[in-house]
């Protein structure tokens, strides 16, 4: 069956040439990112379990999470958590599996608690996943009709919902900047040099013409910061390092401000015991943070779908967002003459995932190129990616293709 | 202080002239819409309480919610809920108020439970807010530094976060179609004619050129539907009525499919006891559904911020999204020559909300118009709206300006 | 098979002749009584459902409950609940029933929520079961081996545990006094005369020789009590009425003190918005309150088993306590020469409930009577009651034989 | 002020001479014992914290707990936990302390989670307190009037409730047997010899004349038991060892049955993954298990009050039960001529705890002794213990005087 692929020209300037641009990234310790990570960790662990025991990933969807902030008392040189962070992951999964004439139970609770605690342990240096967090879950057996959608042996799975996936390429300088700054501030090297910098880092770029204002909120680890002057030293060192990094990444003029809400006259500093604002009242919901490319880009086309926690087999809310991103990256890399591309995929509930309702590309072309000239190549990339869409699943499971990057 | 307002031209075709367009709306009974509505109901009730007792709305932020689907057994002519829907709203609020030399307690629990149940009662005809739902909350006293941001008497409040608000106008035909179709299907008139149609209605439009495919998922009320043929009659009647409505709203050619996942050969129909899929396993999170204009528009600029549950005083994640939408609407209405407008507002934590970090408009112009000619008028609209931004608060509180529309 | 029944003489004075006697009753609105009532309400409603749908009561055990007190702000002439009471009932039940070749679902959630709210509505006048209470549950399908114990068709059920039941008769004057005083203070008539008196009433009697000190704690309904002098009037009226009642019930000399912890000099009165201390921090657990005879009698033989919430078919922790009480009552009524009797029943897991491991009676005889003379009659009563023990089930279900009296 | 102490003769045979006697003990891994231990662990940790930071133990009462059993799949040679045990401890405590002109926060969450997990780690060998358990709590700031009861500097605290404490001595042979058998089966030595025996051990004795039937339910650790014959070997070894132990402890004739509900023909054995039935559906509530002497003795005078979780400063529901037991022990040890003694203490809310409403002793005397002869000595013991009742607090806190023995 021929796929419904469509390519059109977007008669617009690329985003990098717009005068104003806004880009945001919630760092790996931000409450929304954390609860995304928890949901995704559960989905991965469940998938692995199903794969090992039943030879394939069974249906699940654990993409609804809630993180309720705790209460803490940070202070220079010390501090403690008063009340724990509360994390709940909710959704559906096979908790019993009909297998070889038997009904086999799945250790859903053990898988869920372990994977969430494991994720937290990998993410934070000073948040104790046992002492500082209450983890709970509400995951029940899925309803039967969805179950049947999986029952197709070696065939391509059918979509479990009508979902939209969107991807774009390439990144603008502002976008790369935001992504790389947060990654740098959460890199092992920075943590080794400046251990005081916590994991909850939010980066926001406002580009106006050729000038970028980078606003960074970075939680500091209270017991590693002796006093206010130490704190200010660290903050200035972060600003200085980010400026250096920015100079390597872009020719744009970059201003950097860290922790703009500090108010020394009132003793207000961004101090945390654990490295995340979740310890003291900042809450989180799954699907509210970065898109699968690691950014929030309100001036771009993108999907509001949560990717974290959805199953990597037939939930197009996950697969189509990841696939669209890959298609966009390949188009930029492989098709000469395309300056910017947006890929939009729409699934049809009950139809095979390699045959979307529509796969649509919108292109900003380089001067001198016509749609006609590039159209075929773009369609070729999309068609090929759709043909191999089921290859995404093992990539996602192995972590080579991440949804939290 | 002069405001930082900026206007640029978006050298692009309007969305209505793109070949492919995707628009979605999660109807008022969809789990994500419901949990948005719960969070917003709590914020409104809290605001009213603070206003009545302390003369102004105190700080709160209850924008994190979780709805865990229940378990049900619908059947033609009957059915019942087996396990209730579980709803939790989380966040921060004043639970004690220092007032006139005393510490006054706030009936936070009573306000929360009543407002959620009240919202559910208004939303559904067959979902019993007491029998079919467990309502809980985790709302604690906010941290003290945020509290101080409010303490400014009659002055303009300062932003409590660095947030982005986005709005656009006008709607394309596809967008109006999606909005109006859901509203029609949830209108008193339709419910009177076809009471079988539940409140959980999801509408998705794919426009390809001049042809629109409308995919509608509409939960049916099981005890009102006698059998499969009755069900199919209702489904066909809905399709026919939507086709008629579409003909009035647009010249585009509109195809309508209702409940595409039905499979009579397997006895699969979209039946519910209560009118929402939340009764049987569909979960929800706040901030995952419609944007404040009522739509999900992946091919537009828009903000991923949740609006529901945020306080309408200084949370720019709420105010700036609503303000941006109003500005966009006014620009289209008042400034001749603007074909399409996107407004982007960025707040600065700790600065007065009437002076954003930047207020930026991007315009698609009518042929024959230049940026120079319209720029002043657009800036005038934005400036005026910012000057009166605190007027939004009472509008939101009274419900004249809704975040769930 | 002959039953293992045993009778012995207790060579002791009856309790009424001891010099010191202690008796307590937690009234119907006390947190421990309330959570007992919730558990029992769920068991009854479940039993009715099973009976109607499957012709017999299926296995369940919902005898573990937790009531977490809320937060309230009572004041003379008004007051309000700030945070709700939280009620959770936990246990095991059939949530799916294999029936006629199908697996039928049980509306466990609807049954649980409705029965708890119904119980609360019957118990309190001013506690709103919706506004003032969050109700949740954790009831799961029971394990399979216990299930099989029920599978015996028309035969006598087998005990699901090794449990002890104890009963005694007759009541002493102090015991009757405590029971009747609380009942009177919670009677429709008293509530009509003195509506200010709430449902949470605790009565404790200390008898020393022929003098009884009755200590009564009675929550007052704040919005019905205008001021301190009104409060004191009500308190004195309660004292006076209880003295009058006591004079009718006993020849003992009775002192009455109501709300001994009041301290007008500090403005401390026992005021509540709803009639129960549960609104403001008093918590409750199932099985911690009155025994099935309505009293706590530390100077008597009695069982520590919780009766509320256990199934009335084969849970001997429930049936044997009720049966023992009936046997004791009948022995006193029917067997001349017995002054006081204690019945002790021990079940054997897996054996029919009409054949306990042992049924043992201990008698205090009237002067002039010997064990030999009365033994046969006592054994006859016990044997007959055991023979008809399955008759208790419908009595319990209909409410004619209550566990919360 | 003279204390109200009273002594009377109980003109009865001692329990050991009654023909029938029933005694029960829920072992340290039984769900009710576990949730008692959790509540007590929280109280102790809180007390230590208050003591270290504020020089005295502040008011708290965390004596309401709920343990909801998990779901597991044990099998010979292996098995796993499917869903975790859920533990909640509820109550009141100082979460903020007014201290030296400041309001200091208490790390209530960290204290609670750590102390519960610590208790579980000490209690079980194969239950992982992190992987197999979800721990949560609902502990709020106490109401203000109770708080004031503590505010008395160096004076004797006043009782926070009207509570009854009861103790008796000496133990009968049956009682010692039940206590020692469980302790032996949970001793390091037995676990070293027979590691297969889990911690959830329930012992019940029925003595009829000189013959005792000991019914023991002992959870086995599934991964340590290879198959059915291994299981039966262990069971027989336990029976044999208990018989040997019994022979050393008493001259009574003792029958021993372990795991009477096993049914090899149906493959039913008492197997657990973790050593407790809580892993698979057995729930628990605080205050439902052993009395502070370690036993449940329905044929004795005893108090139904929960001791675990109550504060050891002024909660007479705890202190008076422990004090009464000590008094009883001392009377037997120190006063010649007393064969059996029951001590009953009644507190008066708001009065100093060293002056109870009444302290009453009931004595069974040795032949040849009169009340007159022993009365003074008994009163002396009681008076002395009351005089030093505040000495109990450090003993309880240090663990030298346990409530879970």
């Amino acid at each position: 069956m021929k796929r419904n692929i469509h390519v059109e020209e977007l008669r617009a300037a690329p985003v990098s040439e717009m005068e104003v641009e806004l880009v945001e990234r919630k760092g790996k310790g931000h409450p929304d990112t954390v609860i995304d990570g928890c949901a995704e960790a559960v989905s991965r662990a469940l998938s692995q379990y199903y794969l090992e025991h039943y030879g394939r990933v069974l249906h699940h969807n654990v993409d609804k999470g809630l993180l309720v902030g705790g209460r803490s008392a940070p202070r220079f040189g010390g501090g403690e958590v008063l009340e724990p962070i509360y994390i709940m992951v909710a959704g559906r999964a096979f908790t019993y599996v009909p297998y070889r004439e038997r009904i086999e139970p799945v250790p859903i609770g053990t898988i869920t608690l372990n994977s969430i605690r494991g994720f937290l342990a990998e993410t934070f240096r000073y948040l104790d996943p046992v002492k500082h967090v209450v983890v709970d879950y509400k995951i029940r057996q899925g309803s039967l009709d969805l179950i049947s959608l999986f029952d197709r042996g070696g065939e391509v799975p059918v979509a479990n919902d009508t979902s939209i996936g969107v991807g774009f390429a390439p990144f603008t300088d502002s976008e790369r900047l935001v992504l790389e700054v947060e990654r740098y501030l959460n890199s092992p090297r920075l943590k080794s040099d400046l251990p005081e910098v916590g994991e909850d880092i939010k980066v926001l770029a406002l580009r106006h013409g050729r000038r970028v204002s980078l606003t960074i909120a970075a939680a500091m680890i209270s017991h590693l910061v002796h006093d206010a002057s130490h704190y200010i030293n660290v903050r200035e060192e972060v600003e200085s390092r980010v400026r250096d990094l920015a100079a390597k990444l872009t020719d744009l003029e970059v201003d950097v401000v860290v922790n703009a809400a500090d108010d020394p006259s009132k003793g207000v500093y961004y101090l945390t015991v654990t490295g995340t604002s979740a310890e003291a009242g900042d809450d989180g919901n799954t699907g509210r943070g970065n898109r699968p490319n690691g950014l929030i880009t309100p001036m771009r086309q993108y999907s509001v779908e949560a990717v974290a926690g959805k199953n990597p087999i037939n939930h197009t809310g996950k697969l189509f967002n990841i696939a669209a991103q890959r298609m966009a990256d390949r188009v930029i890399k492989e098709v000469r003459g395309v300056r910017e591309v947006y890929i939009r995929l729409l699934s049809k509930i009950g139809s095979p995932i390699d045959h979307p309702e529509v796969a649509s590309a919108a292109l900003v072309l380089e001067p001198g190129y016509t749609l006609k000239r590039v159209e075929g190549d773009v369609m070729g990339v999309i068609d090929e990616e759709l043909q191999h869409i089921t290859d995404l699943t093992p990539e996602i499971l192995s972590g080579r293709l991440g949804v939290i990057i």
Side-chain angles (χ1 to χ4, degrees), chain A residues 69-72 80-86 131-133 278-280:
Chain A
R71 203 160 56 88
S72 71
E80 60 194 328
V81 172
L82 304 171
E83 303 218 46
I85 296 164
Y86 173 88
K131 290 187 185 169
H132 299 150
V133 190
E279 72 177 40

Side-chain angles (χ1 to χ4, degrees), chain A residues 3-160:
Chain A
R3 295 189 174 88
N4 183 20
I5 303 177
H6 154 268
V7 183
E8 68 178 300
E9 188 180 350
L10 198 63
R11 295 180 302 278
V15 168
S16 56
E17 293 187 5
M18 292 180 187
E19 283 174 33
V20 165
E21 190 186 357
L22 285 165
V23 186
E24 187 182 356
R25 174 163 165 89
K26 293 175 175 172
K28 77 170 182 174
H30 184 284
D32 285 329
T33 314
V34 170
I35 191 68
D36 268 2
C38 291
E40 184 65 7
V42 175
S43 170
R44 271 200 205 165
L46 258 179
S47 297
Q48 290 295 2
Y49 182 90
Y50 291 143
L51 211 50
E52 280 165 29
H53 288 74
Y54 307 109
R56 59 191 176 127
V57 178
L58 298 178
H59 189 264
H60 65 272
N61 186 16
V62 293
D63 73 333
K64 300 296 187 306
L66 175 64
L67 180 156
V68 184
R71 203 160 56 88
S72 71
R75 56 179 164 73
F76 288 123
E80 60 194 328
V81 172
L82 304 171
E83 303 218 46
I85 296 164
Y86 173 88
I87 286 176
M88 170 164 285
V89 171
R92 311 291 134 178
F94 271 83
T95 59
Y96 284 97
V97 179
Y99 189 65
R100 294 186 183 157
E101 318 275 308
R102 303 194 344 174
I103 302 288
E104 297 205 346
V106 174
I108 185 76
T110 305
I111 291 171
T112 300
L113 300 186
N114 283 0
S115 56
I116 291 175
R117 289 229 171 75
F119 166 77
L120 295 173
E122 282 166 24
T123 301
F124 292 101
R125 294 161 300 151
Y126 298 108
L127 180 98
D128 184 315
V130 175
K131 290 187 185 169
H132 299 150
V133 190
V134 169
V135 182
D136 205 351
Y137 66 97
K138 287 186 184 277
I139 301 176
R140 300 179 187 167
Q141 184 87 11
S143 59
L144 294 174
D145 48 334
L146 284 177
I147 286 166
S148 63
L149 294 179
F150 269 86
D151 255 343
R152 291 162 49 93
E155 296 173 51
V156 173
V158 300
N160 86 324

